[in-house]
Amino acid sequence: MSGRQEDIVICRCEEITLGEIREWIAKGYETFDELKRVLRVGMGPCQGRGCREMILREISAKTGAPMADIDPGTFRPPAKPVKLAVLAEGGDK
Amino acid sequence: MTLERTADVVVIGAGVQGCSIAYNLAKMGVKDVVVLEKGTICSGSTGRCGAGIRAQWGTEMNCRFGLAAVEKFEQLHEELGMDCGLNQSGYLMVAYKESEFDQLQKSMKLQNSLGIDTRVVSYSEAREICPGLAADDAVGFTFHNRDGHADPFLTTFAYMEAAKRLGVTFHRFTEVTDVKTVSGRIAGVVTNRGEIDAPVVVNAAGGYSQIIANMAGVRIPNFSERHEIIITEPVEPGVCPPMLMSFSGNYYIQQRPHGSIIGGCSPEGHPEDYEMGSSWDFLEMMSRTFIKLLPRTKGVRVVRQWSGLYNMTPDRQPILCEADNVKGFFLSCGYSGHGFMFGPISGELLTQLIIGQEPWIPIDMLHYSRFERGELLVEPAVV
């Protein structure tokens, strides 16, 4: 594999690398929600489907807490992105 | 990190208010400042807000706060050493009724007299400022180009990081369960992780500030109100660069620099609430507002909805003072939806009060005793 591991893009929606995630975990941003707020990871169209598990693993590696004990952060509606025009039609039809 | 047994100042709440107060105290040379946060930094109202910053207000107090805050935000990244995501694309106020437009113009005269260069703009000029706008049913518009929005997360973290460099300690997951007083003076706080004795305690607990005040035996009329909001996927910039805001239209909508569009409104019936859930009704109603106001967003997808608490006061202006009956207990709360934008200035003014200086913008009228005296400072310009 070419390139440094740190350059691997973990959050593809917001283009955040493994290196950036490690850097901010080291600064004390040790929960998924804090990393989300500072780096926008998990805030793009995929809502963390791509990056959440990998980020939780990094938190686990740094803090020593087992994966099962790490707060995965808040899951918010809608479950998948929906067009405004579709939502605006509502449930009357 | 173990909890200190004593501190010079304990700040309750690590939203923008708490972090700004802690930073300003440390900057002014106060030692042993400890910030307690029941969740994580910026997990309450600040991190859930609409991110707007404006000087277009309807009372002199708010205009002065708003302008001073805008000026702070303009140099904040330099002062704090971190980008705060400032985007000064202005606030475009939209009036749909003659009476509303009259009020906007009245406020504009007040703003102009205080050095805020708000002006009336035509519909065609409004469409140059906001290319996606459809508002041919509007009566008039006002615009102030130094208004805009910033990133609430980055701003709060920037304050926290700068405060830490000056020696301030932050404790996450530390909830205040009681406030200790001894014969009319503050004595400290009790938390889920132990007690801290302190001669000064600051209530910056946002949506929970009335609960904290109660613990100290201080009665304030604040209540918390749930407001909802949505954000879209990022699209090309330039759809809605300014904050579009209307009181009768009941909306605020802006596009973040990275392309996502954010929008919210006031809840019907203004229910008192500590719940921060999301409703289908809001999603549907707000989506209708989006496509009416910005028709080109029809095919844009909503990626997320959430909510946060407005900490309301009867006149929708904050409480910023020392308690009468509990010396050493200071309050910075009740911002009624504007705590983020005022954070940089209120933190500085409260710090001046705490260290015995005269706040450079007078804040005596923001004491909660105004409610008992019936001297309300009602702000008309709130969504």
Side-chain angles (χ1 to χ4, degrees), chain B residues 290-312:
Chain B
F290 262 73
I291 61 174
K292 174 174 178 287
L293 201 60
L294 302 165
R296 68 168 77 164
T297 63
K298 275 199 289 267
V300 177
R301 292 173 180 84
V302 174
V303 297
R304 189 165 61 251
Q305 66 177 128
W306 71 96
S307 65
L309 301 177
Y310 273 32
N311 189 233
M312 303 297 294

Short mmCIF file of all heavy atoms in Angstrom, two decimals, chain B residues 290-312:
data_model
loop_
_atom_site.label_atom_id
_atom_site.label_comp_id
_atom_site.label_asym_id
_atom_site.label_seq_id
_atom_site.Cartn_x
_atom_site.Cartn_y
_atom_site.Cartn_z
N PHE B 290 -38.97 26.05 2.99
CA PHE B 290 -37.76 26.04 2.15
C PHE B 290 -38.12 26.20 0.67
O PHE B 290 -37.57 27.04 -0.02
CB PHE B 290 -37.00 24.71 2.33
CG PHE B 290 -35.86 24.75 3.30
CD1 PHE B 290 -36.09 24.82 4.66
CD2 PHE B 290 -34.54 24.70 2.86
CE1 PHE B 290 -35.04 24.83 5.56
CE2 PHE B 290 -33.48 24.72 3.75
CZ PHE B 290 -33.71 24.78 5.10
N ILE B 291 -39.03 25.35 0.19
CA ILE B 291 -39.23 25.35 -1.27
C ILE B 291 -40.06 26.54 -1.74
O ILE B 291 -39.97 26.94 -2.89
CB ILE B 291 -39.79 24.01 -1.81
CG1 ILE B 291 -41.15 23.68 -1.23
CG2 ILE B 291 -38.82 22.87 -1.55
CD1 ILE B 291 -41.75 22.42 -1.87
N LYS B 292 -40.84 27.13 -0.83
CA LYS B 292 -41.55 28.36 -1.21
C LYS B 292 -40.54 29.50 -1.32
O LYS B 292 -40.57 30.28 -2.27
CB LYS B 292 -42.60 28.69 -0.14
CG LYS B 292 -43.30 30.04 -0.37
CD LYS B 292 -44.42 30.27 0.62
CE LYS B 292 -45.08 31.63 0.43
NZ LYS B 292 -44.25 32.75 0.90
N LEU B 293 -39.64 29.58 -0.36
CA LEU B 293 -38.71 30.70 -0.27
C LEU B 293 -37.51 30.52 -1.21
O LEU B 293 -36.98 31.49 -1.74
CB LEU B 293 -38.22 30.77 1.19
CG LEU B 293 -37.66 32.05 1.70
CD1 LEU B 293 -38.68 33.17 1.61
CD2 LEU B 293 -37.22 31.86 3.15
N LEU B 294 -37.08 29.28 -1.36
CA LEU B 294 -35.91 28.97 -2.20
C LEU B 294 -36.32 27.84 -3.15
O LEU B 294 -35.95 26.68 -2.93
CB LEU B 294 -34.74 28.52 -1.32
CG LEU B 294 -34.24 29.47 -0.23
CD1 LEU B 294 -33.33 28.74 0.76
CD2 LEU B 294 -33.48 30.66 -0.85
N PRO B 295 -37.10 28.15 -4.21
CA PRO B 295 -37.67 27.09 -5.05
C PRO B 295 -36.63 26.14 -5.63
O PRO B 295 -36.92 24.96 -5.85
CB PRO B 295 -38.38 27.86 -6.16
CG PRO B 295 -38.63 29.22 -5.59
CD PRO B 295 -37.50 29.49 -4.65
N ARG B 296 -35.42 26.63 -5.84
CA ARG B 296 -34.42 25.74 -6.44
C ARG B 296 -33.93 24.65 -5.49
O ARG B 296 -33.15 23.79 -5.89
CB ARG B 296 -33.24 26.55 -7.00
CG ARG B 296 -32.38 27.22 -5.97
CD ARG B 296 -31.09 27.75 -6.56
NE ARG B 296 -31.30 28.98 -7.32
CZ ARG B 296 -30.30 29.79 -7.67
NH1 ARG B 296 -29.07 29.48 -7.37
NH2 ARG B 296 -30.54 30.92 -8.33
N THR B 297 -34.39 24.67 -4.24
CA THR B 297 -33.98 23.61 -3.30
C THR B 297 -34.91 22.40 -3.33
O THR B 297 -34.70 21.45 -2.57
CB THR B 297 -33.92 24.13 -1.84
OG1 THR B 297 -35.25 24.53 -1.44
CG2 THR B 297 -32.97 25.30 -1.68
N LYS B 298 -35.91 22.42 -4.22
CA LYS B 298 -36.90 21.31 -4.29
C LYS B 298 -36.25 19.92 -4.29
O LYS B 298 -36.71 19.01 -3.62
CB LYS B 298 -37.73 21.44 -5.57
CG LYS B 298 -38.91 22.36 -5.43
CD LYS B 298 -39.94 22.11 -6.50
CE LYS B 298 -39.50 22.55 -7.89
NZ LYS B 298 -39.89 23.90 -8.28
N GLY B 299 -35.17 19.79 -5.09
CA GLY B 299 -34.54 18.48 -5.22
C GLY B 299 -33.41 18.25 -4.24
O GLY B 299 -32.71 17.24 -4.31
N VAL B 300 -33.22 19.21 -3.30
CA VAL B 300 -32.13 19.07 -2.32
C VAL B 300 -32.64 18.21 -1.16
O VAL B 300 -33.79 18.34 -0.74
CB VAL B 300 -31.68 20.47 -1.82
CG1 VAL B 300 -30.61 20.34 -0.75
CG2 VAL B 300 -31.18 21.31 -2.99
N ARG B 301 -31.76 17.36 -0.66
CA ARG B 301 -32.20 16.41 0.38
C ARG B 301 -31.92 16.93 1.79
O ARG B 301 -30.86 17.51 2.04
CB ARG B 301 -31.48 15.08 0.19
CG ARG B 301 -31.90 14.35 -1.07
CD ARG B 301 -31.02 13.12 -1.29
NE ARG B 301 -31.42 12.39 -2.49
CZ ARG B 301 -31.00 12.71 -3.72
NH1 ARG B 301 -30.16 13.73 -3.90
NH2 ARG B 301 -31.41 12.02 -4.76
N VAL B 302 -32.84 16.67 2.68
CA VAL B 302 -32.63 16.92 4.11
C VAL B 302 -31.83 15.75 4.65
O VAL B 302 -32.21 14.60 4.45
CB VAL B 302 -33.97 17.02 4.87
CG1 VAL B 302 -33.74 17.15 6.37
CG2 VAL B 302 -34.79 18.20 4.35
N VAL B 303 -30.71 16.03 5.32
CA VAL B 303 -29.92 14.93 5.89
C VAL B 303 -30.15 14.75 7.39
O VAL B 303 -29.91 13.67 7.92
CB VAL B 303 -28.41 15.04 5.61
CG1 VAL B 303 -28.13 14.97 4.12
CG2 VAL B 303 -27.80 16.29 6.22
N ARG B 304 -30.62 15.82 8.05
CA ARG B 304 -30.69 15.69 9.51
C ARG B 304 -31.64 16.72 10.08
O ARG B 304 -31.77 17.82 9.56
CB ARG B 304 -29.28 15.90 10.08
CG ARG B 304 -29.09 15.60 11.53
CD ARG B 304 -27.61 15.50 11.91
NE ARG B 304 -26.87 16.73 11.67
CZ ARG B 304 -25.97 16.91 10.71
NH1 ARG B 304 -25.66 15.93 9.90
NH2 ARG B 304 -25.36 18.07 10.55
N GLN B 305 -32.33 16.34 11.15
CA GLN B 305 -33.09 17.32 11.91
C GLN B 305 -32.77 17.11 13.39
O GLN B 305 -32.43 16.01 13.82
CB GLN B 305 -34.59 17.22 11.65
CG GLN B 305 -35.26 15.95 12.12
CD GLN B 305 -36.75 15.92 11.90
OE1 GLN B 305 -37.28 14.99 11.32
NE2 GLN B 305 -37.46 16.91 12.40
N TRP B 306 -32.85 18.19 14.14
CA TRP B 306 -32.57 18.10 15.57
C TRP B 306 -33.29 19.25 16.27
O TRP B 306 -34.03 20.00 15.63
CB TRP B 306 -31.05 18.13 15.84
CG TRP B 306 -30.36 19.42 15.62
CD1 TRP B 306 -30.06 20.35 16.56
CD2 TRP B 306 -29.85 19.94 14.38
NE1 TRP B 306 -29.40 21.42 15.98
CE2 TRP B 306 -29.26 21.20 14.65
CE3 TRP B 306 -29.84 19.47 13.06
CZ2 TRP B 306 -28.67 21.98 13.66
CZ3 TRP B 306 -29.24 20.26 12.08
CH2 TRP B 306 -28.67 21.50 12.37
N SER B 307 -33.08 19.37 17.57
CA SER B 307 -33.72 20.46 18.29
C SER B 307 -32.83 20.90 19.44
O SER B 307 -31.86 20.22 19.79
CB SER B 307 -35.10 20.05 18.81
OG SER B 307 -34.96 19.04 19.78
N GLY B 308 -33.16 22.05 20.01
CA GLY B 308 -32.40 22.56 21.15
C GLY B 308 -33.31 23.46 21.96
O GLY B 308 -34.43 23.78 21.55
N LEU B 309 -32.82 23.88 23.12
CA LEU B 309 -33.65 24.67 24.02
C LEU B 309 -33.33 26.16 23.92
O LEU B 309 -32.17 26.55 23.96
CB LEU B 309 -33.44 24.21 25.46
CG LEU B 309 -33.76 22.74 25.75
CD1 LEU B 309 -33.42 22.42 27.20
CD2 LEU B 309 -35.20 22.42 25.45
N TYR B 310 -34.38 26.97 23.74
CA TYR B 310 -34.25 28.41 23.95
C TYR B 310 -34.53 28.61 25.44
O TYR B 310 -35.55 28.15 25.94
CB TYR B 310 -35.33 29.17 23.17
CG TYR B 310 -35.05 29.55 21.74
CD1 TYR B 310 -34.26 28.75 20.91
CD2 TYR B 310 -35.61 30.71 21.19
CE1 TYR B 310 -34.04 29.11 19.59
CE2 TYR B 310 -35.38 31.07 19.87
CZ TYR B 310 -34.60 30.27 19.07
OH TYR B 310 -34.39 30.63 17.77
N ASN B 311 -33.63 29.29 26.14
CA ASN B 311 -33.90 29.61 27.54
C ASN B 311 -34.55 31.00 27.55
O ASN B 311 -33.89 32.01 27.36
CB ASN B 311 -32.60 29.58 28.35
CG ASN B 311 -32.85 29.69 29.84
OD1 ASN B 311 -32.29 30.52 30.53
ND2 ASN B 311 -33.73 28.85 30.37
N MET B 312 -35.88 31.01 27.75
CA MET B 312 -36.68 32.22 27.54
C MET B 312 -36.85 33.03 28.83
O MET B 312 -36.99 32.47 29.91
CB MET B 312 -38.07 31.85 27.03
CG MET B 312 -38.09 31.02 25.76
SD MET B 312 -37.39 31.86 24.33
CE MET B 312 -38.59 33.20 24.10
#
